[in-house]
Amino acid sequence: MKNAQYNTKDVKDRCETKLGIEFRDGKEFNGWYTLNGKKYSRITVPKGKKHIPMGTYKSMARQLNLTVSQFDEFLDCPLTKDRYNYIIQRL
Amino acid sequence: MVLIASSDSQSTISLPIQKGDSSSNSIGKFFYVTDAYEIAKPAYVFNFGKQVRIIDLPGKTLSSPILAFVRYDETHYLAECIEVPIYAIGNSMKESLSNLKEQLLELYDELKDDDELSDEWLKHKSYLKGIIK
């Protein structure tokens, strides 16, 4: 688990740049991942540039329907959008 | 003896409860009953976290409780819904649950008129529409 390497802003940035998620401003950022017009995942990211504790990191992974190691990959960059699409369509 | 407390130890409250609603168990654990949530299982069940039944949402009625799980997560409290993949954080258990309720309401509003959802989210929508009135 690479929660110590990334902060909440990193997660938000990755979601925006890699998945094209548009976050809605509120108490926390919430955004939907849409594929072929359908909403597949909804992720919540706390505001600011904060450390992500392990439990919260796991919750974010769960929201994206990813395992923790897949979420690590996603943040590290090897997990491409195409591979993400493949993962969520197998659900 | 029945122990009843709110999520914050400094604001322990007493509520009238019926016999059998809540009690210390055989190893001395107890669960909580507040006006908003009930802790359903002793803390040791989930790595010192607590399973909670959310029994009301602001401005809405619940036909059955929504299960959540709350625990301390390094720097804050993390409340997660068990049936639906949402979570919220807060500086206290109570705040995290309050934020989770807001998340639930927000999600309910987002889903109620939307059918462009994956199968998984259609199930979540159906679940929420079935219990939130």
Side-chain angles (χ1 to χ4, degrees):
Chain A
M1 186 182 301
K2 297 183 176 176
N3 63 308
Q5 292 179 29
Y6 299 105
N7 59 49
T8 51
K9 188 173 182 302
D10 295 325
V11 174
K12 182 171 177 278
D13 288 348
R14 293 288 195 285
C15 288
E16 287 172 335
T17 55
K18 292 183 79 175
L19 303 179
I21 293 177
E22 290 180 14
F23 285 94
R24 219 177 57 192
D25 206 353
K27 206 167 188 176
E28 284 157 358
F29 291 116
N30 286 304
W32 284 97
Y33 176 67
T34 305
L35 174 64
N36 300 329
K38 280 188 179 179
K39 290 174 176 166
Y40 273 83
S41 315
R42 182 183 186 271
I43 184 168
T44 302
V45 184
K47 286 191 162 182
K49 196 174 176 178
K50 296 173 191 157
H51 162 69
I52 309 171
M54 281 195 293
T56 308
Y57 192 82
K58 284 181 190 169
S59 298
M60 289 176 176
R62 177 191 175 214
Q63 287 189 313
L64 288 177
N65 288 306
L66 294 175
T67 63
V68 168
S69 59
Q70 286 171 335
F71 191 48
D72 288 340
E73 269 186 65
F74 170 69
L75 295 175
D76 279 343
C77 279
L79 181 65
T80 62
K81 185 172 179 174
D82 285 345
R83 175 145 165 72
Y84 180 66
N85 287 344
Y86 172 74
I87 290 168
I88 61 167
Q89 285 182 103
R90 287 182 65 200
L91 293 172
Chain B
M1 180 185 165
V2 175
L3 297 171
I4 305 168
S6 70
S7 55
D8 300 305
S9 57
Q10 70 271 19
S11 57
T12 300
I13 55 170
S14 292
L15 291 173
I17 57 166
Q18 293 178 349
K19 192 175 178 182
D21 279 353
S22 161
S23 67
S24 56
N25 66 18
S26 58
I27 60 167
K29 300 283 183 184
F30 60 91
F31 58 86
Y32 300 77
V33 178
T34 73
D35 56 346
Y37 3 84
E38 301 167 354
I39 300 219
K41 302 266 177 156
Y44 64 86
V45 173
F46 291 105
N47 192 24
F48 305 109
K50 293 174 171 59
Q51 191 177 340
V52 173
R53 286 194 288 262
I54 294 172
I55 55 177
D56 74 351
L57 289 176
K60 303 282 183 191
T61 307
L62 294 180
S63 60
S64 64
I66 296 174
L67 289 178
F69 179 64
V70 192
R71 67 186 161 116
Y72 189 69
D73 189 25
E74 295 180 42
T75 56
H76 54 245
Y77 284 85
L78 171 68
E80 272 190 291
C81 206
I82 291 172
E83 300 289 342
V84 183
I86 59 168
Y87 75 89
I89 59 175
N91 292 322
S92 65
M93 187 172 150
K94 195 171 181 177
E95 187 181 294
S96 68
L97 283 166
S98 172
N99 291 339
L100 186 65
K101 286 179 171 192
E102 283 180 27
Q103 282 282 337
L104 272 165
L105 281 174
E106 203 174 306
L107 178 64
Y108 175 73
D109 286 339
E110 288 175 19
L111 293 178
K112 68 181 178 188
D113 299 319
D114 195 344
D115 291 319
E116 296 299 314
L117 302 166
S118 66
D119 292 345
E120 182 197 4
W121 278 99
L122 284 171
K123 283 180 199 160
H124 294 323
K125 176 183 169 178
S126 167
Y127 165 72
L128 291 175
K129 284 187 92 168
I131 58 171
I132 299 175
K133 308 291 175 194

